[in-house]
Amino acid sequence: MDRLEAMSILIASIEAGSFSAAGRKLGIPLPSISRKVSDLEAHLKTQLVARSSRKLQLTDAGAAYVAAAKAILERVSEAEAQAAGEYTSPRGELTMTAPIVLGRIHVVPVVNDFLRRYLDINIRMTLADRAINLVDDNVDLAVRVGTLPDSSMIATRLGTIRRVVCGSPAYFAARGIPKTPDDLADLTCVTFSGMGAGTSWVFVDKDKRSRQGPRPRCRLNINTAEAAIDSAIAGVGITHVLSYQVADAVRAGKLKIVLQNFEPAPVPVSLIYTAQSMVPTKLRSFVEFATPRLRKSLGADDVKLASESAKRSKAE
């Protein structure tokens, strides 16, 4: 059995919706199409396709296999072109993930520019505040916030972001501006699950040693950063978030950052992908395109935010 041919036929069948449609597209008789897929299933000892009179449906094993098969066929095509000394333009589907707010503010604009330049690449992007496993979920690359564990991943540092405490000007006018982390005990807060709601917030002392501040009384625990920020703007309480998440609200004067002198060390932002002997052209092209642009975007955002906070503090 020619497994590469069988992979191609399986993918064509799924994309066409049926064996007969794939046969017409490829110019291969229907019985040959069906037999090739059956032989592949027999070789793998698992069912890849649930056959019905209407449309082919992939099983869970089939979905994972098709995603991997697409990547394999792209790699083979690139290897053949390079071996033949031919120029090959980046093409194919690139899958990636990023945190929700960071992705919307910083990553999506870069992706849009990339797609305008590379017309033969499509991107499937998942914005989620959970760490998606690149290998298990067949994802090409991810933008990650936080210290990365030792792994086989290739990581490119894009910049850093700050973890900040902020609240609305109206809230601070009514309750007072905290001067030290100890003052938080007299305030209320809005937390969200992604930030470890209900635990003490970490700060640093004058010697830059980490310490936990007192836990503000939680008035609202909600499951997304954006909703928590909206509630903080409404004056429900202060919140503890990452700087990029409140950049627009701070610049608009809807939120004020406090306790800047007690902020912990900035959090790294990285672009990661799995280590591999030959990086696909589509992936290499995106990394080379996106890295300088994301570094500039993240750096400019944090500088503007820090400057705006300083100006507001002096004015008040």
Side-chain angles (χ1 to χ4, degrees):
M1 178 184 63
D2 185 334
R3 273 185 282 174
L4 293 181
E5 180 190 29
M7 288 178 183
S8 299
I9 289 174
L10 172 62
I11 292 170
S13 300
I14 296 303
E15 291 177 345
S18 68
F19 290 150
S20 57
R24 290 192 296 271
K25 180 179 179 181
L26 298 175
I28 299 174
L30 174 60
S32 297
I33 293 281
S34 181
R35 187 181 68 254
K36 291 286 186 181
V37 174
S38 296
D39 289 347
L40 186 59
E41 290 177 318
H43 172 74
L44 297 172
K45 295 182 176 60
T46 188
Q47 184 180 6
L48 300 174
V49 178
R51 298 156 175 81
S52 69
S53 58
R54 289 188 174 183
K55 188 176 180 180
L56 297 176
Q57 294 288 339
L58 287 171
T59 63
D60 290 343
Y65 185 81
V66 164
K70 286 181 178 180
I72 289 169
L73 292 174
E74 286 181 5
R75 294 280 294 277
V76 169
S77 178
E78 288 186 0
E80 290 177 343
Q82 290 179 8
E86 299 176 0
Y87 171 77
T88 177
S89 61
R91 63 181 64 248
E93 183 177 80
L94 190 67
T95 57
M96 61 182 299
T97 179
I100 296 173
V101 182
L102 180 68
R104 177 175 57 82
I105 295 174
H106 291 288
V107 183
V108 171
V110 173
V111 167
N112 293 340
D113 290 341
F114 179 80
L115 291 174
R116 280 190 284 268
R117 176 173 295 188
Y118 294 95
L119 301 181
D120 292 326
I121 295 181
N122 300 319
I123 291 181
R124 179 164 55 87
M125 187 174 184
T126 299
L127 298 182
D129 288 332
R130 59 184 177 87
I132 294 176
N133 188 294
L134 271 62
V135 176
D136 293 346
D137 294 305
N138 296 299
V139 175
D140 294 308
L141 74 159
V143 176
R144 288 279 164 83
V145 176
T147 302
L148 299 173
D150 292 335
S151 70
S152 60
M153 297 291 171
I154 303 298
T156 300
R157 178 69 67 90
L158 300 176
T160 59
I161 52 179
R162 296 154 47 212
R163 196 177 295 276
V164 301
V165 175
C166 58
S168 71
Y171 180 85
F172 289 133
R175 303 294 300 272
I177 297 175
K179 303 300 182 184
T180 71
D182 291 335
D183 296 335
L184 295 177
D186 300 323
L187 303 179
T188 58
C189 71
V190 179
T191 60
F192 69 99
S193 55
M195 297 292 292
T199 62
S200 295
W201 296 350
V202 176
F203 299 95
V204 295
D205 58 23
K206 62 181 180 179
D207 296 320
K208 301 302 179 183
R209 292 175 300 188
S210 295
R211 54 162 290 199
Q212 287 188 331
R215 181 171 58 193
R217 182 167 65 91
C218 180
R219 295 293 315 282
L220 176 63
N221 180 3
I222 203 162
N223 70 328
T224 72
E226 289 179 295
I229 290 165
D230 287 343
S231 294
I233 291 173
V236 175
I238 61 175
T239 193
H240 194 206
V241 291
L242 296 170
S243 55
Y244 70 83
Q245 295 172 325
V246 292
D248 289 343
V250 171
R251 282 193 287 265
K254 297 178 180 179
L255 288 175
K256 173 182 173 60
I257 294 175
V258 296
L259 302 176
Q260 292 99 319
N261 293 334
F262 300 92
E263 290 175 3
V267 180
V269 182
S270 306
L271 186 65
I272 67 169
Y273 55 94
T274 56
Q276 43 200 303
S277 57
M278 186 176 70
V279 178
T281 303
K282 61 180 181 179
L283 175 55
R284 184 173 64 252
S285 298
F286 183 84
V287 171
E288 292 174 353
F289 181 91
T291 296
R293 290 165 175 79
L294 288 172
R295 283 174 175 166
K296 181 178 179 180
S297 177
L298 287 166
D301 185 78
D302 209 34
V303 167
K304 289 178 182 177
L305 182 56
S307 175
E308 187 66 27
S309 296
K311 285 191 293 185
R312 290 188 183 280
S313 295
K314 289 180 181 178
E316 295 170 359

